[in-house]
Amino acid sequence: MAIKVQIPTPMREQTGGKAEVEVAGGTVKAALDDLLRQFPGVGPKLFDNGKLRPYVNVFVNDEDIRYLDEMDTKLTDGQTVALIPAVAGG
Amino acid sequence: MPSNDFVLGLKCRVCGKLYPKAANFYCPDDHAPLEVAYDYEKVKPHVSRAKFASRPRNMWRYRELLPLDGEPTVGPQVGGTPLVRADRLADALGVERLWIKNDAVNFPTLSFKDRVVSVALSKAREFGMRMVGCASTGNLANSVAALGASAGLETVILVPADLEKTKIYGTAIYGAKVVKVSGTYDQVNRLCTQIVMEYGWGFVNVNLRPFYAEGSKTVGFEIAEDLGWRFPQHVVCPMAGGALIGKIYKAFNELHATGIVDQPVTTKMYGAQASGCNPISDCVKSNRERHKPVKTPNTICKSLAIGDPADGYFAANLIRSTGGWAEDVSDPEIVDAMQLLAKTEGIFAETAGGTTLAVARKLIESGRIPRDEEIVICVTGNGLKTQDAVFEALEEPATIKPSLAEFKALAGLSQPAAEPVLA
């Protein structure tokens, strides 16, 4: 199953410059596990002690996963997961 | 010398790592926000009360503590709004000493946002940017459009589609490209972050945010100066993204750090939100470490309707650490407070001002703010922009024929003097 993960600029050093990475997984957690398997350098930028860092928001097809099932949010083929810094606005 | 070479760089608010001055807004290591850091020892010999006072009464008199490399080129006359001693309101609330910091009359677009935008757009020009923009709940849209126009910058402004008409037309009039997004502010904001990452434009509250937010400090500098260079005991401040409350406190600390005010900062900071969008006040009241985002805000106070505030964590922490508190109020309480402020002090604040006053009243009545200590309430926007909110609460004026008899028949007006005035 192909899921696209959009990578924010400062993480692209860890993805070989790629702005979008194809991963497999039936949930957000599985998809991000696969991202880390392919590009281990992303790990410390995205997670702290196994928990998603508080200043990164994760969106599935433009919906914040905190309003879905968080890391257990189900994914289907062709969906896009976007990792977006959360420090804008106001 | 340039007006400012005191900036050390941009510092991560979580890991403390220092980065060079650039249009960056988050730490590449942990994605936490960046903040402008200054060398206060270096600032110290260059600032004094007399030097500030010798300059025109606007926000740039504190320029050594603002992050520009050169002179401000956008908004040179912003700020310098009145700190109003509010005795009639104090009587109504049953407190002794009360002031309103009145940014409802800030120049040019009648909200405190002109302060942050003039810093952000001056900085954008220093970075050589031509295209600027923002995500906005309204006041920021007005300000970026007006100040951008005055500087000949191209502006693109994204707002939630359900925003008050006055705020949308009050933005389009300046020639800005306005885009209405069918979604909440948080969705608009997320889209703007994606636009910035794709196009590299200067969005004041995205990639220019560290510089932008510094402009809010001038509210704090002005409060301290107008009180005779001292700090009030209690400051009540509206919270949307949660940055303003922190910057007012940062301003007080900077005045102390640079020797302008000897008195250490012991001010208690209080945050105000609407109950229909209260992520930060809920975080404080329920003693949560981090706020729970509000997916769909529902309040007449649209200018504070940010469900997932970027500075929520920092605002809640500040409130706790200063010994302050946070509260939220209902829409009817907001309208009631807007009327109270207008009737007692002649100040027509927008819904956010009503929210802040209503919260102050609640905190006074619950004993959180003592009645015999000095209180400053921050009014950050003008009621003319949110008139829809009060129409229903106001009595429709009577209509009469141009006849003295009909005028006399009106109930509720004072009786004429015993002798005819013009006899």
Side-chain angles (χ1 to χ4, degrees):
Chain A
M1 188 196 304
I3 306 288
K4 283 182 195 152
V5 182
Q6 291 175 348
I7 310 293
T9 326
M11 256 184 232
R12 291 181 196 164
E13 273 178 43
Q14 280 69 37
T15 60
K18 282 191 192 172
E20 211 166 76
V21 173
E22 286 213 350
V23 300
T27 62
V28 170
K29 186 178 183 313
L32 295 181
D33 282 347
D34 190 38
L35 174 71
L36 264 58
R37 189 187 53 77
Q38 296 182 47
F39 304 102
V42 168
K45 295 200 174 235
L46 208 49
F47 293 97
D48 182 25
N49 285 325
K51 273 182 74 179
L52 192 65
R53 287 191 179 275
Y55 300 101
V56 186
N57 285 343
V58 180
F59 296 83
V60 173
N61 283 13
D62 292 336
E63 182 67 276
D64 193 322
I65 61 164
R66 288 174 297 174
Y67 303 131
L68 302 168
D69 285 325
E70 308 249 355
M71 294 296 270
D72 297 327
T73 302
K74 296 258 187 306
L75 294 176
T76 53
D77 201 9
Q79 283 190 312
T80 300
V81 175
L83 309 174
I84 297 179
V87 293
Chain B
M1 98 179 206
S3 71
N4 193 338
D5 60 354
F6 309 124
V7 172
L8 294 168
L10 299 181
K11 193 175 183 179
C12 174
R13 294 181 74 180
V14 170
C15 73
K17 202 166 160 185
L18 197 65
Y19 298 93
K21 264 185 288 184
N24 283 339
F25 62 113
Y26 59 95
C27 174
D29 285 352
D30 52 25
H31 296 79
L34 301 177
E35 180 171 48
V36 179
Y38 301 80
D39 183 340
Y40 296 120
E41 283 308 310
K42 228 169 135 188
V43 174
K44 223 173 188 175
H46 294 276
V47 293
S48 69
R49 295 180 183 187
K51 192 171 178 182
F52 290 149
S54 74
R55 294 171 173 164
R57 192 184 153 81
N58 61 53
M59 63 179 273
W60 299 106
R61 57 167 50 185
Y62 316 103
R63 69 182 65 162
E64 285 82 359
L65 292 164
L66 293 170
L68 297 188
D69 294 336
E71 294 294 313
T73 61
V74 183
Q77 290 162 301
V78 174
T81 60
L83 183 72
V84 178
R85 175 77 191 234
D87 288 338
R88 279 174 45 78
L89 179 60
D91 284 347
L93 297 179
V95 297
E96 285 177 19
R97 284 160 295 168
L98 179 68
W99 288 264
I100 300 291
K101 177 58 176 169
N102 187 10
D103 262 19
V105 292
N106 200 14
F107 174 82
T109 65
L110 308 178
S111 88
F112 90 104
K113 290 294 186 185
D114 292 327
R115 299 174 186 272
V116 286
V117 172
S118 56
V119 175
L121 295 189
S122 291
K123 202 69 205 169
R125 290 179 113 191
E126 289 183 359
F127 288 139
M129 294 167 161
R130 296 277 319 136
M131 186 75 181
V132 296
C134 65
S136 177
T137 54
N139 282 320
L140 182 59
N142 294 167
S143 185
V144 169
L147 288 164
S150 76
L153 295 164
E154 268 190 85
T155 50
V156 56
I157 286 158
L158 290 87
V159 296
D162 72 344
L163 202 60
E164 298 100 336
K165 272 187 186 164
T166 45
K167 283 183 174 164
I168 291 178
Y169 297 136
T171 303
I173 186 73
Y174 302 106
K177 177 91 182 157
V178 182
V179 182
K180 296 205 291 188
V181 180
S182 51
T184 62
Y185 175 80
D186 292 307
Q187 291 173 311
V188 178
N189 201 28
R190 188 254 306 148
L191 175 60
C192 286
T193 306
Q194 290 174 301
I195 291 170
V196 164
M197 292 200 291
E198 185 87 15
Y199 291 81
W201 293 338
F203 270 47
V204 299
N205 54 352
V206 184
N207 51 342
L208 295 169
R209 193 171 190 269
F211 304 100
Y212 159 93
E214 287 293 286
S216 292
K217 290 190 309 192
T218 60
V219 174
F221 296 145
E222 289 175 8
I223 289 171
E225 181 171 6
D226 284 348
L227 287 176
W229 290 118
R230 55 193 188 82
F231 308 125
Q233 288 158 294
H234 309 275
V235 173
V236 192
C237 181
M239 299 188 295
L244 174 64
I245 191 168
K247 292 298 178 178
I248 291 174
Y249 195 73
K250 184 181 182 188
F252 292 166
N253 275 315
E254 288 185 342
L255 292 174
H256 181 64
T258 53
I260 300 289
V261 179
D262 290 335
Q263 170 200 358
V265 185
T266 54
T267 308
K268 294 179 179 177
M269 304 298 292
Y270 303 82
Q273 295 204 295
S275 300
C277 183
N278 65 347
I280 309 177
S281 62
D282 169 69
C283 178
V284 171
K285 290 195 290 183
S286 59
N287 205 23
R288 247 186 267 282
E289 192 202 347
R290 292 190 178 273
H291 69 264
K292 237 170 76 182
V294 173
K295 185 179 182 186
T296 314
N298 180 17
T299 168
I300 55 166
C301 187
K302 296 188 191 299
S303 61
L304 301 183
I306 297 183
D308 189 16
D311 276 301
Y313 170 77
F314 300 102
N317 257 2
L318 173 78
I319 288 166
R320 290 188 190 112
S321 68
T322 61
W325 196 243
E327 252 312 339
D328 45 81
V329 285
S330 68
D331 287 357
E333 288 175 299
I334 292 168
V335 172
D336 193 50
M338 287 169 77
Q339 290 178 281
L340 177 65
L341 180 62
K343 287 177 182 173
T344 54
E345 296 298 332
I347 294 171
F348 186 14
E350 66 154 4
T351 45
T355 303
T356 310
L357 174 54
V359 162
R361 176 155 67 179
K362 209 164 171 176
L363 292 168
I364 290 161
E365 282 168 4
S366 67
R368 289 263 177 195
I369 299 180
R371 293 177 184 272
D372 59 348
E373 295 187 4
E374 293 184 331
I375 307 164
V376 172
I377 294 176
C378 298
V379 165
T380 52
N382 197 301
L384 294 173
K385 297 193 198 186
T386 58
Q387 295 186 52
D388 289 355
V390 292
F391 278 155
E392 277 177 27
L394 299 175
E395 206 180 310
E396 180 68 19
T399 306
I400 58 168
K401 293 205 180 82
S403 122
L404 187 58
E406 283 210 14
F407 183 78
K408 280 184 178 172
L410 283 179
L413 287 171
S414 302
Q415 292 299 308
E419 295 294 318
V421 180
L422 295 176

